[in-house]
Amino acid sequence: MVRAISSLIGAAFVFVLAIALFGTVKTAVEEPAAESAEHVFHLGPREADLPSAGLAGKFDNRQVQRGFQVYKEVCAACHSLKYVHFRDLTKIGYAEAEVKAIANQWVIEQPSINPETGEAATRKNAPSDPFPSPFINEIAARAANNNALPPDLSLMTKARHDGPDYVYSLITGYQNQPARLLKEFPGAKTPAGLHYNPYFANLNIAMPPPLTADGQVTYADGTKATKDQMARDVAAFLTWTAEPNLEARHAAGLAALIFIGIFCFLAWGAYQNVWRDVKH
């Protein structure tokens, strides 16, 4: 009796769910949701064509160093890099003396406590320190950026789909709103204080264009610093900060594929040897 009642209750539950699902599907077919401006005008990222892309991708240390220079002179004014330490720069070709000089000369110093008075103080950065945040806390960051919070960039290329391409496209994607958008969606005009960028999810971003002109950064290696070049370079740098062991991972994956290939060939050979005298 109990089993029959349980089965009946279960069948009723499934029936109700089926009715609800049918109603949802019917509504979606008969009354489809109106397209939004974001759905129509949002663009997928353009390829940055970085050397680190692909199964056998490797970092170009010269490019990554140029990207670090762009971050240092442009992005570091607003964006933190809290999961990266100054000493990590040795992995992209900087000598220890260079890293020490970079840390010591970094504009923003590390928060500290005066041992004599117990009051808040600052000290010079050391290679073992993480890159310091440009703001003392979130409130200060929002106050300086029209209430928008600049995200930390350490893992940005891992946090976004097609991360390196996304960063490159976003930085170079600022433009005026197309007339078609304003014609089809009159209420989608970019609000004051925001900037139109079709590579951003809702089309309007609080960050102003970070790269405004060619030559904004003077590269130490003499590379011509066009806006496109600077965008690619900083995308390469942020790819490295998010996954500094990318080359080792690619090498391990390639070795695993080679091993699997050899193993399959040996297994096939063993199979042929074991069953060679067996007639089918």
Side-chain angles (χ1 to χ4, degrees), residues 94-243:
Y94 285 100
E96 291 185 5
E98 292 177 305
V99 171
K100 186 175 182 180
I102 291 171
N104 187 62
Q105 297 168 5
W106 198 259
V107 175
I108 304 164
E109 298 184 340
Q110 293 288 339
S112 183
I113 298 294
N114 188 319
E116 297 180 358
T117 64
E119 297 179 350
T122 58
R123 64 170 176 79
K124 294 288 186 180
N125 295 286
S128 58
D129 289 321
F131 282 85
S133 172
F135 304 104
I136 192 170
N137 53 38
E138 180 178 331
I139 297 175
R142 290 187 180 277
N145 291 278
N146 196 26
N147 204 39
L149 181 63
D152 181 82
L153 297 182
S154 306
L155 305 175
M156 184 56 64
T157 59
K158 299 294 287 184
R160 298 292 185 270
H161 182 63
D162 292 328
D165 296 337
Y166 168 81
V167 170
Y168 164 71
S169 300
L170 185 74
I171 293 176
T172 58
Y174 289 87
Q175 56 188 264
N176 295 325
Q177 280 189 300
R180 178 182 158 223
L181 184 151
L182 297 176
K183 181 179 179 180
E184 296 182 10
F185 302 94
K189 182 176 175 60
T190 298
L194 300 182
H195 308 270
Y196 179 76
N197 191 319
Y199 297 99
F200 193 64
N202 66 2
L203 305 182
N204 300 306
I205 185 171
M207 179 178 71
L211 301 176
T212 57
D214 294 345
Q216 189 171 339
V217 171
T218 302
Y219 282 137
D221 65 358
T223 299
K224 186 177 181 180
T226 63
K227 288 193 291 185
D228 186 82
Q229 182 67 57
M230 290 185 287
R232 290 180 193 274
D233 292 344
V234 77
F237 173 68
L238 294 179
T239 301
W240 172 78
T241 64
E243 195 171 8

Side-chain angles (χ1 to χ4, degrees), residues 52-65:
S52 56
L55 294 177
K58 295 183 177 181
F59 290 118
D60 178 350
N61 281 350
R62 290 184 60 188
Q63 182 180 43
V64 177
Q65 288 183 14

